[in-house]
Amino acid sequence: MTNEQITDAAEVAAELRTVAADIFTDAADRLADTVARPLDAQVWATLEETGLARLTGSEDSGGSDAGWLEAAAVLGEAASAGVPLPLLEHDLLAGWLRDAAGPPASAEAPTGSPADAAGSTPAISTAAEAVATGRPVTVPWLPAAASVVVLDSSGERPQVYEIAASDLVFDERTSVSGEPQAVVVLPTGVAGAVEVSAEVADEFRYRGALGRAVQMAGAGEAISQLCVEHVTTRVQFGRPIGKFQAVQQLVTDVASEAALTRTIVDRAVLTVAEHGMQDARSRFFIAAAKACAGGAAETIVRNAHQIHGAIGTTLEHSLQRRTRPVMGWRREFGSTAEWETRIEELVLDGDADLWELVTA
């Protein structure tokens, strides 16, 4: 993308962030104080109507032809508000895989039925990778999805196919954050599956990692804000607890880690927007963003709950709506250690110039 295109996209992203914040603030007010965090069909219907549910898809496929800058703005706002939504899975993974594979070679994929305020089944898709025949995988949002777009990397050449959720036998579970997920053995070597390049399979993992990093950055900033609000309003021994030096240190560490995560995540998103996902610079910053966000999550979550005390662990408090997802996201699409190793590999294998990356 040119500088002018980047500027235009950034302006659109800022507008989308405002729109999304209004939608997600209203949705957060409706969240039930329960461990489980199911999909809100009403807010999903709103996202469908406004075009935010499928931002990055082509206009021909019903999308808005947006890029990572715009998608990250909406994805981050949802995480910041603590509203559970399959935006990453539906748009940036399942929708992208479907577009990358082209027209299906097999039967028409199921699309589900439109969501409405009454709570009918939303027409969402989720995505997953089958790395070996017969190996169970955890698929996020599967119980709420109409279909799964599968990246089958178990054979010599990766393939993509779509299967109706109703055609799968799965063990429904709840994630750490309370969102619906399921353990399932996905079919491999499916007749009619579309062959894709190894680059597509590799990009799937990088897209998932960047999406999770964006979500952790959004949630981290919201957690930091909650900590500041709590220490300025909670009075103990005749003064706000924020006056105590030990508490100030905890808050400072949360704010520092949240700011660090935001900085590297924004750099990764911008680099992808400028150079594309296949560029070595983009891969480096995605790896750095996921590793940084995962490392920061431990400090942010631990300190935030120490600052809030027992109240922060209750279902009625909004803190756990951010901290629980963060602890789940940090393990998905590669652990912190795995992405730190990937950074080393990118540099030592010669795909990225460390000095140029650090000083650029």
Side-chain angles (χ1 to χ4, degrees):
M1 296 179 68
T2 64
N3 290 336
E4 184 177 352
Q5 290 173 322
I6 290 292
T7 300
D8 292 342
E11 291 176 354
V12 172
E15 295 174 359
L16 290 176
R17 186 175 289 108
T18 301
V19 173
D22 292 338
I23 295 173
F24 297 143
T25 298
D26 291 340
D29 293 337
R30 296 194 303 271
L31 290 176
D33 297 328
T34 58
V35 174
R37 289 156 45 88
L39 177 69
D40 186 333
Q42 182 177 338
V43 70
W44 189 259
T46 301
L47 295 177
E48 292 275 13
E49 293 170 1
T50 56
L52 298 183
R54 188 70 178 94
L55 266 180
T56 63
S58 64
E59 293 182 359
D60 293 339
S61 63
S64 302
D65 231 355
W68 267 97
L69 284 172
E70 300 94 326
V74 177
L75 191 61
E77 283 300 322
S80 178
V83 178
L85 290 166
L87 287 168
L88 171 62
E89 294 81 0
H90 177 75
D91 181 22
L92 293 165
L93 295 179
W96 169 78
L97 265 182
R98 190 183 294 118
D99 290 345
S106 55
E108 182 178 354
T111 57
S113 55
D116 56 31
S120 62
T121 303
I124 68 171
S125 297
T126 186
E129 181 178 8
V131 297
T133 300
R135 179 181 298 179
V137 296
T138 300
V139 183
W141 293 100
L142 176 55
S147 65
V148 184
V149 182
V150 180
L151 171 64
D152 180 4
S153 58
S154 63
E156 294 182 1
R157 293 290 302 273
Q159 299 178 324
V160 172
Y161 68 89
E162 187 166 7
I163 185 170
S166 58
D167 291 337
L168 295 169
V169 177
F170 53 83
D171 180 13
E172 184 172 347
R173 299 182 182 181
T174 301
S175 68
V176 172
S177 61
E179 297 169 358
Q181 62 180 20
V183 176
V184 60
V185 176
L186 295 169
T188 56
V190 175
V194 179
E195 280 196 3
V196 295
S197 65
E199 287 75 17
V200 169
D202 200 30
E203 181 171 336
F204 176 82
R205 302 165 195 128
Y206 275 92
R207 293 176 75 90
L210 180 56
R212 287 294 185 244
V214 168
Q215 290 176 299
M216 285 192 282
E221 288 181 325
I223 292 170
S224 179
Q225 183 177 354
L226 286 173
C227 290
V228 172
E229 292 174 354
H230 182 73
V231 300
T232 54
T233 57
R234 175 76 166 90
V235 176
Q236 188 69 36
F237 303 113
R239 54 178 174 167
I241 62 173
K243 295 293 185 179
F244 296 97
Q245 187 174 10
V247 176
Q248 292 174 358
Q249 185 62 54
L250 292 173
V251 175
T252 300
D253 287 345
V254 171
S256 298
E257 295 291 346
L260 176 62
T261 301
R262 168 56 62 194
T263 300
I264 189 61
V265 167
D266 283 352
R267 179 62 184 275
V269 171
L270 180 60
T271 305
V272 169
E274 289 179 329
H275 305 290
M277 190 70 72
Q278 297 296 330
D279 189 88
R281 290 164 291 187
S282 298
R283 298 296 178 92
F284 177 87
F285 282 116
I286 292 172
K290 187 59 164 67
C292 177
E298 182 177 353
T299 298
I300 290 174
V301 172
R302 181 188 65 238
N303 285 16
H305 280 287
Q306 286 181 339
I307 291 165
H308 283 80
I311 189 65
T313 64
T314 62
L315 292 174
E316 293 81 7
H317 200 282
S318 61
L319 178 64
Q320 53 84 24
R321 294 177 183 170
R322 280 87 173 180
T323 54
R324 285 200 294 151
V326 165
M327 296 309 292
W329 292 334
R330 71 193 294 256
R331 298 180 298 182
E332 297 176 356
F333 295 101
S335 66
T336 300
E338 289 171 341
W339 284 106
E340 289 173 342
T341 301
R342 183 58 179 152
I343 293 174
E344 179 182 352
E345 292 172 348
L346 285 169
V347 175
L348 295 181
D349 291 345
D351 292 336
D353 187 305
L354 180 60
W355 180 253
E356 180 182 349
L357 290 168
V358 172
T359 59

